[in-house]
Every structure is written in structure tokens, then in C-alpha cells.
Amino acid sequence: MSIESIIKSKVIEAIAGCYEQSVDDKMVQIQKTRREFEGDLTVVVFPFLRFSRRSPEETANDIGNFLKENIEVVADFNVVKGFLNLVIDNSYWISVLNGAVQTPKFGFKPQSADETKVMIEYSSPNTNKPLHLGHIRNNLLGYSVAEILKANGHEVIKVNLVNDRGIHICKSMLAWLRFGEGETPESANMKGDHLVGKYYVKFDQEYKKEVEQLIAYGKHPDEAKKQAPLLLEAQEMLRKWEAGDDEVVALWRKMNDWVLAGFDETYKKMGVDFDKVYFESETYKKGKAIVMKGLEEGVLYQKETGSVWANMESDGLDHKLLLRDDGTSVYMTQDIGTAYERFNEFNIDEHVYVVGNEQNYHFQVLSLILGKLGYKWHDKIHHLSYGMVELPEGKMKSREGTVVDADDLMQEMVNTARDMSNELGKLQGYSEEEAAEVFTKVAMGALKYFILKVDPKKNMMFNPKESIDFNGNTGPFIQYTYARIQSVQRKAKEEGLTVPEQAIANLTISEKESYLIQMVADFPNVVSDAGKDRSPALIANYVYDLVKEYNQFYHDFPIAKEENTDLRDFRLVLSRQIGEIIKNGMSLLGIGVPERM
RNA sequence: GGUCCAGUAGCUCAGUUGGAUUAGAGCAACAGCCUUCUAAGCUGUAGGUCCCAGGUUCGAGCCCUGGCUGGAUCACCA
């Protein structure tokens, strides 16, 4: 039983004893004592005033006396206004630390059948262009949330739905046929996704030329945009693809394979992976049967022209198209079909979709329609919605060339980390491979941490220059602290000190250190909260706070040189445990920590 | 126009189910600190109408109402 729940129950007893009143345990608020006050834990007594009918100070004293007498580890208390600050005995904190030390994978729960089984879909790229900065946020969030859910005991299935069909793919294909001169990733010495992306841009350029020409010949701009020969040809290509035309399908397959190989490389560098990859070319017709059933049951309705709709007016929304006049599926239909399939095939309890906030409306409607169709799991689909990534120069526009390419960005981060390491002479004495491993970890840590520390739902500003700043609330700062902790442990060993498995209980430690232990003990709660909120930012900011506290306390107190051997041992144990937490916490963000840097 | 999201220091961001005279970090600026656990660090100074106005409460950056500003979205696109 935790100290908080013991105090809680005793506070209820105290109120029953002193005032003959019973209070709900929700009214008992216990929090960490703020740093500037003496004590470890604080009970807020304001809610009890109407029971005690005494002043806040008197009430706090009454309860304080009761707690001091009835709980062994409550060593003392003081009262400031309506706040009852309890001093908890050192031995308690040390036993908490020892408990944490002895827990393998501290903060992580083993997989449990009691927890829900969750599918998480993320990344979801188009195969007509390479991944960009927005995808990076998506991928990092998806991977990190999957890790966090696993650490909370959930079984997690990571999936990727690749959008490999549609008019945009045909545009790249057409431009490659027309202007490519047989270029391949090998001959051009380019990643496949970049090569295909190049032709997507090429299409757009040539298309614009055609449109301008048509306008020059007197066409109305709207008409010109629709009648440009390249566009008509691309549309024709899509029709052929859907009809299964051998040549078109072969080309489509070839270029898609290039792109997918390119994506794999990028995912690998980013450190993300999937348990299953879906292709839209295989799923785009799904959902039609479910919609037809809904139509029969009268949940949906059909217009005279043949299209099928859902009336969402009762939910304050408009009407939503589900099948076109020609009976073909739209995006929503497909999502209905794949959701149904996934819940049934994998027997999942929940489904998380990591998709940008421009699709908030889509997912709101998806859940409502599934509810209308009678699926009880319709409220078990969660849209993990994230904000746009903006640049200092303004918004990213692929047509204006202001997108930040994922591969370029990662390479730039690695280059910068290497340059800084060399400049500081940090990695002297390392082999080339070892050095490369370190600055790659640092570079990726910088990028990942910068993005994950921000609340997912907020739009964020990505400043490439700032992200490569290795100070402050950044990944490298945290990695650096970890490396220093490992250095302490190594030095202690070199000096012949055996780092004990546990700290000695009868020891006087500073209030700062008991505060640090409280933070250590908090880690499992933070992991749990991050799971509930699906927010890596909680973990990131917690780890930063812990690191900052650690640095501030121990910068001036070299642990290995502490003369009191019991205290030194205690500090070695605490420091090692904090290192463990940094490593575990960062792994939930998909960030590696180097032993030295 | 309807719906949803956001607004906290010059900039980028935290702020746990409402709690403490003084709302926190980092960056940028200024001033210090290398016999230290690794200076990729630490310490200090300066910087605020928590968008505005009401309301609820012993207590509001947080909750409610109304407004302002910015963003997203409202396709027989995906």
C-alpha cells in the first residue's frame, strides 16, 4: 500500500474521530510538497472546513497531530495556511528507492490479458512522393504511443495503410513515361521514393505549362485546368489501372516497389516499424457490403441518382456520401470496411488512428456512422489527432518546394551532430563506427525529442536551427546526463567501490534527495498517464524535469568523492536508478541513450 | 456562416482531477563558474494584464457564459 493511500485513509479516520463526520476519499487531496516549503507530502485541508467548523490552521493541526501519532513514518508536520505539510521519515524514502531498484524494467508492466488489445495505425504515406516533416511527426507519435501502450500491459498491433492508388500515382507514372527516359533509382542514384517524387513535381510543372497555353488560346482558366491533355491522360491511366490493364499495372507495380523500398530505408533510419502493412489498392473497395446492409435496414438512404448517403443531421452535422452514383466506394466507406475487418479479424478492443487534425471531422463522422450501423465498438476507435508542423518561413507547400524532406532532414541532423562532436573533441579515441553510432543517436534523439515533447494536438513550430541546439529541454541534454551517470558508475568501479544493490535504510538524506526519490517513484504513474492520454509529451517533460533536478543537485556534490561511505553508496544507487529511468523513459520515445558521448 | 482546436515572457514550450505571498523551463541578452561525475554543464540578473469581459468557488492559467485573434474543416478528393 502506498504512503498516499495510507495517509488518505488516516485522514478520513481523523475527521471521523475529531469531528464525527464522514468524508469521501475523493475530497482528500494529497500532493507533493512544493520545494520552497518544509516537508514531503501535503494534505489540503480546505475541503474539510465545513466539517470541522474551525479555522484552516486549527483543522490542519488537529489532523496533523492525529497523523503523526497514528502513522509511523510521519516524522513531523507543519501548517502553512490551509496546507498540512508532512515530513516523512528518511527510512521510508530509502525503502521506496530500494523497491524501485529491485523492480526489473521499472515503470513497465508486463503484457496482461486484463488490458485491452489495441491496434494503432500510423504513417499512412502516399506512394507518389517521399516522406516529409509532417510524416515524421506522425511516425514518431505512432511508434512512441505504441511503445507506451505496451509498457502499460496492452497488446499492440502496429499497422500502416499505404495509399498506393489513385490519380496522384498516375501523375508520377505518366510523367516518368513521358520525360523519364528509362531512369531507374540505380541509374539516377536516387532513392526510389525521391525519384518518383521528382516525376510528380515534373508532372505538375508540365501540366501548368499546358494550362497556361490553353488559356493563351482563349480557354477559360477553369476549363483549361480540366482539359489539359496531361490530366486527361492521367485520368485515362487510372481507368486502365482499375480495369486491370497489364501494361499500366506492371508500371504501377514497378514504380510502387521503388517507392516502398525507399520508405523502408527511411523507416529504418527513423527507427519505426509495423506488424502489418495494408495497401489501399487491396482495400479500396471494402465497406460496400456493410453500407448496402445499412441501406436495407433503413439507417442510410439512397438518392434518385443512385448515390448512398448518411444523414448526420441529428448529430448536428450534414449529410455524408458513402457510395457514388456508379456504386464505387469513397474514403469513408473504405474506413468503415477496414475497421469492421480489423475488429473482427484481430479481435481488438480499441483502434487508434494517428492522423493529422485536418481529418478531425472525418473521424468524428466515422465513429457516428459506425454507431448508426449498430457496431458496439464504434466508440472504441480513437483519432490521435496531431497539429500541423509549421516552419519559421511559413507553411509547408509541396508545390512551392517549401517542404522539408524527411531523409534530408535526418541527414542534416546527423551532419550537424558529427560536426559538433568533432569541434568539441568529444569522441576522440573512438573508432569510426563507435563515433558514428554516438552522433547518430544524438542527432536522432535531438529530432525525435524536439517533436515529441510538444503536446500532439497543438500545432508546432519547427525551427531546424533550434532543433540542433544541444542545450535546454532537448534530447541531447538528456542523453548527456545519462552518459555522465554511466561515467559515475564506471569511475566508482574503477576506484574499487562496489556499488551496492541497495541503499542502507538508516541514513540521513537531504530533502532534495527525498524529493528526487519521489520523482523516481512517480515514473510508473507518468507512464500510466501517458498511456491514458496517449501523449509521449508527458514522458518527455517528466524525464527532462528529473534530469534537471538531478543535474542541479549533484553538479556540486561529486558522488564518487563523498567521504561518508553510506551516503556515497546511497547516492550511487539513486544515480543508477535515475539512469535506469532515463533509459526506460527515452526508449518509450524511441530514443536511444549512448553510454558515453 | 456551422463545427472542432489553439491563444501563457521577445521566441519555442511546460503547467497533473481547480490549491501555497513570487505562474515555470529553455533559447536569445547580460554577469559569473573548468583542481568538479564529461563546460554538449552549472549559478545569477533581467523579462508576464496567463487574449478580453463577466460568472461559479474559501481559492481560477485550469471550470461556465459571451466576445476577440489565429488555424483546421464543412467535395460523387484521399
Side-chain angles (χ1 to χ4, degrees):
Chain A
M1 201 148 117
S2 72
I3 185 77
E4 284 88 354
S5 48
I6 291 171
I7 292 173
K8 228 176 216 189
S9 63
K10 290 290 175 189
V11 168
I12 292 170
E13 270 182 47
I15 288 166
C18 299
Y19 315 123
E20 297 178 350
Q21 300 269 1
S22 68
V23 294
D24 193 83
D25 77 332
K26 277 181 199 153
M27 289 178 67
V28 186
Q29 294 175 53
I30 296 172
Q31 50 198 236
K32 264 191 280 187
T33 303
R34 290 183 66 118
R35 296 293 301 286
E36 55 268 35
F37 298 100
E38 194 197 342
D40 300 299
L41 293 170
T42 295
V43 180
V44 185
V45 301
F46 289 109
F48 312 138
L49 299 185
R50 63 190 170 100
F51 300 115
S52 71
R53 295 188 183 171
R54 284 156 70 83
S55 73
E57 288 79 6
E58 289 167 335
T59 309
N61 268 308
D62 291 344
I63 298 172
N65 278 317
F66 184 91
L67 295 181
K68 191 176 170 184
E69 275 169 34
N70 289 284
I71 304 176
E72 202 180 336
V73 295
V74 174
D76 206 354
F77 72 92
N78 65 81
V79 176
V80 181
K81 296 194 164 182
F83 297 91
L84 169 60
N85 301 321
L86 303 173
V87 179
I88 308 296
D89 195 71
N90 281 336
S91 62
Y92 173 76
W93 294 118
I94 292 177
S95 74
V96 166
L97 174 61
N98 285 337
V101 167
Q102 287 168 316
T103 310
K105 271 275 184 188
F106 181 65
F108 291 20
K109 291 183 207 148
Q111 202 186 100
S112 152
D114 296 339
E115 294 294 348
T116 54
K117 186 171 175 182
V118 186
M119 179 172 279
I120 179 162
E121 179 188 297
Y122 69 100
S123 200
S124 313
N126 290 345
T127 54
N128 62 331
K129 48 181 185 269
L131 302 177
H132 57 71
L133 184 51
H135 291 112
I136 292 184
R137 192 176 194 186
N138 182 310
N139 288 332
L140 298 182
L141 275 173
Y143 180 82
S144 174
V145 168
E147 290 302 306
I148 290 167
L149 290 174
K150 281 188 208 166
N152 278 293
H154 297 270
E155 184 183 343
V156 179
I157 307 170
K158 293 177 277 189
V159 303
N160 186 4
L161 175 57
V162 178
N163 180 2
D164 60 345
R165 69 168 283 277
I167 188 76
H168 46 283
I169 317 294
C170 295
K171 288 178 181 175
S172 296
M173 285 158 61
L174 185 59
W176 182 81
L177 279 180
R178 194 64 66 76
F179 314 105
E181 294 165 3
E183 205 171 37
T184 65
E186 291 76 25
S187 74
N189 195 23
M190 274 174 99
K191 278 178 81 225
D193 50 339
H194 289 250
L195 182 71
V196 171
K198 176 176 136 185
Y199 287 104
Y200 186 70
V201 171
K202 182 74 177 166
F203 176 93
D204 205 58
Q205 291 165 346
E206 296 296 326
Y207 168 68
K208 270 185 184 154
K209 278 188 208 163
E210 288 188 351
V211 171
E212 274 164 31
Q213 208 163 22
L214 287 174
I215 294 172
Y217 287 148
K219 285 262 187 200
H220 188 274
D222 289 346
E223 238 173 281
K225 280 179 194 162
K226 285 180 190 162
Q227 292 178 0
L230 271 173
L231 182 67
L232 295 177
E233 251 182 283
Q235 286 167 344
E236 175 60 21
M237 214 171 196
L238 181 61
R239 272 189 290 276
K240 281 186 178 170
W241 180 87
E242 292 195 353
D245 179 280
D246 287 344
E247 249 177 75
V248 172
V249 169
L251 175 61
W252 169 81
R253 189 151 287 148
K254 174 162 80 175
M255 289 181 72
N256 260 337
D257 285 348
W258 291 347
V259 172
L260 294 174
F263 285 170
D264 280 346
E265 231 179 279
T266 306
Y267 288 142
K268 204 172 166 194
K269 205 172 276 174
M270 219 180 286
V272 304
D273 54 24
F274 305 93
D275 299 310
K276 185 169 169 65
V277 180
Y278 290 96
F279 294 95
E280 213 166 291
S281 55
E282 293 162 5
T283 64
Y284 78 104
K285 288 177 178 167
K286 289 193 194 297
K288 188 169 173 178
I290 293 173
V291 169
M292 295 310 287
K293 192 164 156 256
L295 184 60
E296 272 171 41
E297 289 167 357
V299 177
L300 308 172
Y301 72 93
Q302 191 162 32
K303 281 190 181 174
E304 287 167 8
T305 48
S307 55
V308 178
W309 297 73
N311 181 349
M312 310 303 292
E313 278 172 11
S314 59
D315 296 294
L317 305 171
D318 54 7
H319 295 235
K320 190 77 195 172
L321 176 84
L322 293 174
L323 291 175
R324 300 188 184 97
D325 284 345
D326 61 7
T328 54
S329 301
V330 295
Y331 184 39
M332 183 64 75
T333 324
Q334 186 186 150
D335 267 359
I336 291 169
T338 53
Y340 174 83
E341 206 174 80
R342 289 173 187 182
F343 271 89
N344 285 289
E345 184 184 349
F346 293 95
N347 198 25
I348 55 173
D349 303 296
E350 292 180 271
H351 196 329
V352 176
Y353 294 85
V354 183
V355 180
N357 63 7
E358 68 272 13
Q359 291 193 36
N360 285 355
Y361 179 70
H362 173 81
F363 282 98
Q364 190 189 353
V365 173
L366 177 63
S367 171
L368 288 171
I369 291 184
L370 287 168
K372 273 183 194 294
L373 291 169
Y375 299 108
K376 61 181 185 302
W377 41 263
H378 77 276
D379 57 349
K380 300 294 179 198
I381 65 176
H382 307 287
H383 177 202
L384 174 45
S385 163
Y386 61 90
M388 288 192 334
V389 183
E390 286 166 38
L391 293 168
E393 310 84 75
K395 275 180 207 158
M396 295 200 296
K397 292 263 164 65
S398 52
R399 285 180 192 156
E400 291 162 22
T402 53
V403 285
V404 174
D405 178 81
D407 295 310
D408 292 350
L409 178 62
M410 289 192 284
Q411 191 55 50
E412 197 188 319
M413 297 294 290
V414 172
N415 291 344
T416 307
R418 183 199 297 118
D419 293 347
M420 289 185 76
S421 292
N422 290 340
E423 207 175 300
L424 293 163
K426 281 285 174 186
L427 301 175
Q428 283 168 3
Y430 280 49
S431 74
E432 223 168 277
E433 292 83 28
E434 284 169 334
E437 197 193 324
V438 171
F439 57 68
T440 303
K441 269 187 186 167
V442 169
M444 293 308 294
L447 174 64
K448 291 179 178 182
Y449 189 88
F450 192 91
I451 286 176
L452 290 174
K453 74 175 177 185
V454 181
D455 182 354
K457 69 170 180 280
K458 286 187 176 175
N459 287 354
M460 68 174 288
M461 176 65 66
F462 181 78
N463 185 335
K465 280 180 196 154
E466 240 177 66
S467 75
I468 304 185
D469 195 330
F470 294 83
N471 290 311
N473 189 358
T474 64
F477 171 60
I478 292 165
Q479 291 171 318
Y480 174 65
T481 303
Y482 178 82
R484 270 179 37 242
I485 287 174
Q486 300 317 302
S487 172
V488 181
Q489 304 289 332
R490 270 196 307 271
K491 284 208 169 147
K493 273 192 191 125
E494 279 166 21
E495 287 175 26
L497 305 176
T498 48
V499 181
E501 289 304 310
Q502 288 188 38
I504 291 170
N506 293 324
L507 191 62
T508 304
I509 56 173
S510 70
E511 208 169 273
K512 290 177 173 182
E513 283 162 331
S514 68
Y515 187 84
L516 262 178
I517 294 175
Q518 280 191 71
M519 287 196 77
V520 166
D522 240 3
F523 181 59
N525 303 329
V526 174
V527 174
S528 165
D529 288 347
K532 283 175 198 147
D533 292 358
R534 302 181 196 92
S535 173
L538 284 179
I539 307 251
N541 287 299
Y542 163 84
V543 173
Y544 173 66
D545 285 345
L546 181 67
V547 160
K548 185 125 180 69
E549 295 291 336
Y550 176 84
N551 273 332
Q552 285 174 356
F553 295 160
Y554 287 112
H555 189 267
D556 296 326
F557 300 102
I559 293 170
K561 292 197 174 154
E562 174 60 46
E563 289 186 5
N564 178 336
T565 54
D566 287 348
L567 191 54
R568 183 204 62 211
D569 286 354
F570 159 78
R571 289 179 170 174
L572 282 170
V573 172
L574 178 57
S575 130
R576 186 178 55 196
Q577 185 60 21
I578 289 173
E580 243 349 81
I581 291 180
I582 295 172
K583 190 162 131 189
N584 290 350
M586 294 294 264
S587 80
L588 294 177
L589 305 177
I591 300 174
V593 283
E595 296 295 308
R596 306 162 191 252
M597 63 185 275

